[in-house]
mmCIF file of all heavy atoms in Angstrom:
data_model
loop_
_atom_site.group_PDB
_atom_site.id
_atom_site.type_symbol
_atom_site.label_atom_id
_atom_site.label_comp_id
_atom_site.label_asym_id
_atom_site.label_seq_id
_atom_site.Cartn_x
_atom_site.Cartn_y
_atom_site.Cartn_z
ATOM 1 N N ARG A 1 0.864 -1.137 0.013
ATOM 2 C CA ARG A 1 0.030 -0.011 -0.007
ATOM 3 C C ARG A 1 0.869 1.245 -0.024
ATOM 4 O O ARG A 1 1.580 1.526 0.985
ATOM 5 C CB ARG A 1 -0.925 0.007 1.262
ATOM 6 C CG ARG A 1 -1.912 1.130 1.238
ATOM 7 C CD ARG A 1 -2.772 1.116 2.519
ATOM 8 N NE ARG A 1 -3.557 -0.152 2.579
ATOM 9 C CZ ARG A 1 -4.228 -0.454 3.669
ATOM 10 N NH1 ARG A 1 -4.211 0.270 4.759
ATOM 11 N NH2 ARG A 1 -4.868 -1.664 3.660
ATOM 12 N N GLY A 2 0.980 1.888 -1.121
ATOM 13 C CA GLY A 2 1.817 3.045 -1.284
ATOM 14 C C GLY A 2 3.326 2.700 -1.034
ATOM 15 O O GLY A 2 4.081 3.534 -0.515
ATOM 16 N N GLY A 3 3.711 1.497 -1.489
ATOM 17 C CA GLY A 3 5.072 1.081 -1.359
ATOM 18 C C GLY A 3 5.435 0.505 -0.022
ATOM 19 O O GLY A 3 6.618 0.111 0.249
ATOM 20 N N VAL A 4 4.445 0.388 0.910
ATOM 21 C CA VAL A 4 4.682 -0.128 2.242
ATOM 22 C C VAL A 4 4.043 -1.470 2.377
ATOM 23 O O VAL A 4 2.831 -1.617 2.115
ATOM 24 C CB VAL A 4 4.117 0.893 3.324
ATOM 25 C CG1 VAL A 4 4.334 0.224 4.699
ATOM 26 C CG2 VAL A 4 4.824 2.189 3.251
ATOM 27 N N PRO A 5 4.746 -2.531 2.739
ATOM 28 C CA PRO A 5 4.113 -3.894 2.931
ATOM 29 C C PRO A 5 3.117 -3.809 4.102
ATOM 30 O O PRO A 5 3.427 -3.307 5.247
ATOM 31 C CB PRO A 5 5.312 -4.744 3.333
ATOM 32 C CG PRO A 5 6.514 -4.104 2.709
ATOM 33 C CD PRO A 5 6.245 -2.635 2.901
ATOM 34 N N VAL A 6 1.950 -4.317 3.876
ATOM 35 C CA VAL A 6 0.880 -4.387 4.851
ATOM 36 C C VAL A 6 0.428 -5.852 4.979
ATOM 37 O O VAL A 6 0.218 -6.541 3.929
ATOM 38 C CB VAL A 6 -0.297 -3.444 4.468
ATOM 39 C CG1 VAL A 6 -1.454 -3.713 5.435
ATOM 40 C CG2 VAL A 6 0.162 -2.026 4.416
ATOM 41 N N GLY A 7 0.299 -6.318 6.180
ATOM 42 C CA GLY A 7 -0.173 -7.691 6.397
ATOM 43 C C GLY A 7 -1.611 -7.684 6.807
ATOM 44 O O GLY A 7 -2.014 -7.031 7.697
ATOM 45 N N VAL A 8 -2.406 -8.454 6.030
ATOM 46 C CA VAL A 8 -3.851 -8.557 6.337
ATOM 47 C C VAL A 8 -4.150 -10.014 6.686
ATOM 48 O O VAL A 8 -3.713 -10.929 6.029
ATOM 49 C CB VAL A 8 -4.686 -8.143 5.101
ATOM 50 C CG1 VAL A 8 -6.187 -8.194 5.449
ATOM 51 C CG2 VAL A 8 -4.314 -6.779 4.665
ATOM 52 N N SER A 9 -4.772 -10.241 7.838
ATOM 53 C CA SER A 9 -5.083 -11.557 8.303
ATOM 54 C C SER A 9 -6.454 -11.696 8.869
ATOM 55 O O SER A 9 -7.086 -10.659 9.268
ATOM 56 C CB SER A 9 -4.044 -12.047 9.372
ATOM 57 O OG SER A 9 -4.181 -11.290 10.526
ATOM 58 N N THR A 10 -6.999 -12.852 8.855
ATOM 59 C CA THR A 10 -8.371 -13.156 9.456
ATOM 60 C C THR A 10 -8.198 -14.255 10.483
ATOM 61 O O THR A 10 -7.781 -15.390 10.142
ATOM 62 C CB THR A 10 -9.392 -13.534 8.453
ATOM 63 O OG1 THR A 10 -9.511 -12.511 7.453
ATOM 64 C CG2 THR A 10 -10.716 -13.759 9.102
ATOM 65 N N VAL A 11 -8.444 -13.944 11.752
ATOM 66 C CA VAL A 11 -8.307 -14.919 12.829
ATOM 67 C C VAL A 11 -9.515 -14.757 13.753
ATOM 68 O O VAL A 11 -9.854 -13.603 14.140
ATOM 69 C CB VAL A 11 -7.007 -14.699 13.634
ATOM 70 C CG1 VAL A 11 -6.917 -15.694 14.836
ATOM 71 C CG2 VAL A 11 -5.814 -14.885 12.748
ATOM 72 N N ASN A 12 -10.185 -15.895 14.034
ATOM 73 C CA ASN A 12 -11.380 -15.875 14.919
ATOM 74 C C ASN A 12 -12.404 -14.899 14.378
ATOM 75 O O ASN A 12 -13.172 -14.209 15.125
ATOM 76 C CB ASN A 12 -11.041 -15.508 16.344
ATOM 77 C CG ASN A 12 -10.196 -16.495 17.042
ATOM 78 O OD1 ASN A 12 -10.231 -17.698 16.700
ATOM 79 N ND2 ASN A 12 -9.256 -16.086 17.901
ATOM 80 N N GLY A 13 -12.574 -14.874 13.089
ATOM 81 C CA GLY A 13 -13.599 -14.072 12.416
ATOM 82 C C GLY A 13 -13.344 -12.561 12.306
ATOM 83 O O GLY A 13 -14.130 -11.827 11.728
ATOM 84 N N ARG A 14 -12.167 -12.169 12.731
ATOM 85 C CA ARG A 14 -11.799 -10.755 12.720
ATOM 86 C C ARG A 14 -10.628 -10.542 11.767
ATOM 87 O O ARG A 14 -9.584 -11.185 11.879
ATOM 88 C CB ARG A 14 -11.453 -10.236 14.063
ATOM 89 C CG ARG A 14 -11.186 -8.725 14.091
ATOM 90 C CD ARG A 14 -10.940 -8.217 15.525
ATOM 91 N NE ARG A 14 -10.716 -6.815 15.565
ATOM 92 C CZ ARG A 14 -10.416 -6.116 16.635
ATOM 93 N NH1 ARG A 14 -10.367 -6.727 17.819
ATOM 94 N NH2 ARG A 14 -10.170 -4.827 16.556
ATOM 95 N N THR A 15 -10.853 -9.587 10.841
ATOM 96 C CA THR A 15 -9.768 -9.225 9.874
ATOM 97 C C THR A 15 -9.085 -8.002 10.363
ATOM 98 O O THR A 15 -9.654 -6.970 10.648
ATOM 99 C CB THR A 15 -10.384 -9.048 8.462
ATOM 100 O OG1 THR A 15 -11.004 -10.259 8.057
ATOM 101 C CG2 THR A 15 -9.275 -8.725 7.458
ATOM 102 N N ARG A 16 -7.719 -8.095 10.328
ATOM 103 C CA ARG A 16 -6.885 -6.975 10.855
ATOM 104 C C ARG A 16 -5.794 -6.691 9.779
ATOM 105 O O ARG A 16 -5.455 -7.547 9.005
ATOM 106 C CB ARG A 16 -6.235 -7.294 12.163
ATOM 107 C CG ARG A 16 -7.132 -7.654 13.314
ATOM 108 C CD ARG A 16 -6.326 -7.981 14.496
ATOM 109 N NE ARG A 16 -7.064 -8.265 15.705
ATOM 110 C CZ ARG A 16 -7.576 -9.475 16.009
ATOM 111 N NH1 ARG A 16 -7.397 -10.475 15.277
ATOM 112 N NH2 ARG A 16 -8.227 -9.634 17.175
ATOM 113 N N ALA A 17 -5.307 -5.477 9.813
ATOM 114 C CA ALA A 17 -4.174 -5.081 8.931
ATOM 115 C C ALA A 17 -3.165 -4.437 9.852
ATOM 116 O O ALA A 17 -3.415 -3.583 10.676
ATOM 117 C CB ALA A 17 -4.679 -4.106 7.859
ATOM 118 N N VAL A 18 -1.891 -4.812 9.579
ATOM 119 C CA VAL A 18 -0.744 -4.224 10.295
ATOM 120 C C VAL A 18 0.322 -3.937 9.339
ATOM 121 O O VAL A 18 0.444 -4.458 8.233
ATOM 122 C CB VAL A 18 -0.201 -5.228 11.349
ATOM 123 C CG1 VAL A 18 -1.245 -5.475 12.404
ATOM 124 C CG2 VAL A 18 0.298 -6.544 10.746
ATOM 125 N N ARG A 19 1.249 -3.043 9.699
ATOM 126 C CA ARG A 19 2.413 -2.791 8.924
ATOM 127 C C ARG A 19 3.349 -4.027 8.965
ATOM 128 O O ARG A 19 3.848 -4.351 10.038
ATOM 129 C CB ARG A 19 3.140 -1.524 9.395
ATOM 130 C CG ARG A 19 4.381 -1.152 8.565
ATOM 131 C CD ARG A 19 5.073 0.048 9.179
ATOM 132 N NE ARG A 19 6.324 0.353 8.493
ATOM 133 C CZ ARG A 19 6.482 1.270 7.571
ATOM 134 N NH1 ARG A 19 5.417 1.934 7.151
ATOM 135 N NH2 ARG A 19 7.641 1.422 6.968
ATOM 136 N N ALA A 20 3.537 -4.737 7.845
ATOM 137 C CA ALA A 20 4.216 -6.057 7.835
ATOM 138 C C ALA A 20 5.765 -5.814 7.681
ATOM 139 O O ALA A 20 6.379 -6.528 6.902
ATOM 140 C CB ALA A 20 3.674 -6.878 6.753
ATOM 141 N N VAL A 21 6.315 -4.921 8.421
ATOM 142 C CA VAL A 21 7.711 -4.625 8.416
ATOM 143 C C VAL A 21 8.246 -4.819 9.805
ATOM 144 O O VAL A 21 7.821 -4.102 10.715
ATOM 145 C CB VAL A 21 8.002 -3.218 7.827
ATOM 146 C CG1 VAL A 21 9.571 -3.015 7.885
ATOM 147 C CG2 VAL A 21 7.473 -3.105 6.414
ATOM 148 N N CYS A 22 9.229 -5.753 10.014
ATOM 149 C CA CYS A 22 9.752 -5.913 11.393
ATOM 150 C C CYS A 22 10.468 -4.655 11.886
ATOM 151 O O CYS A 22 11.305 -4.095 11.165
ATOM 152 C CB CYS A 22 10.723 -7.106 11.359
ATOM 153 S SG CYS A 22 11.426 -7.482 12.995
ATOM 154 N N PRO A 23 10.093 -4.182 13.047
ATOM 155 C CA PRO A 23 10.755 -2.926 13.559
ATOM 156 C C PRO A 23 12.164 -3.177 13.956
ATOM 157 O O PRO A 23 12.837 -2.178 14.348
ATOM 158 C CB PRO A 23 9.860 -2.577 14.805
ATOM 159 C CG PRO A 23 9.140 -3.853 15.165
ATOM 160 C CD PRO A 23 9.025 -4.660 13.915
ATOM 161 N N HIS A 24 12.689 -4.395 13.908
ATOM 162 C CA HIS A 24 14.088 -4.620 14.242
ATOM 163 C C HIS A 24 14.996 -4.126 13.192
ATOM 164 O O HIS A 24 15.699 -3.105 13.355
ATOM 165 C CB HIS A 24 14.317 -6.117 14.552
ATOM 166 C CG HIS A 24 15.754 -6.453 14.825
ATOM 167 N ND1 HIS A 24 16.423 -7.455 14.185
ATOM 168 C CD2 HIS A 24 16.641 -5.888 15.674
ATOM 169 C CE1 HIS A 24 17.647 -7.553 14.636
ATOM 170 N NE2 HIS A 24 17.820 -6.567 15.573
ATOM 171 N N LEU A 25 14.976 -4.791 11.954
ATOM 172 C CA LEU A 25 15.853 -4.379 10.920
ATOM 173 C C LEU A 25 15.100 -4.258 9.568
ATOM 174 O O LEU A 25 15.764 -4.303 8.498
ATOM 175 C CB LEU A 25 17.041 -5.283 10.787
ATOM 176 C CG LEU A 25 18.106 -5.201 11.853
ATOM 177 C CD1 LEU A 25 19.276 -6.151 11.592
ATOM 178 C CD2 LEU A 25 18.655 -3.846 12.069
ATOM 179 N N GLY A 26 13.782 -4.162 9.621
ATOM 180 C CA GLY A 26 13.064 -3.896 8.390
ATOM 181 C C GLY A 26 12.749 -5.062 7.476
ATOM 182 O O GLY A 26 12.433 -4.853 6.318
#
């Protein structure tokens, strides 16, 4: 999304989106 990896998942019926870049070293 706009050049930024985004992780989208569905667990227990709920869909969430997070920035899929590890804050350690990217």
Side-chain angles (χ1 to χ4, degrees):
R1 185 182 299 170
V4 177
V6 173
V8 183
S9 65
T10 302
V11 178
N12 296 328
R14 184 174 180 183
T15 301
R16 300 177 176 89
V18 296
R19 183 183 174 96
V21 179
C22 182
H24 176 230
L25 289 181

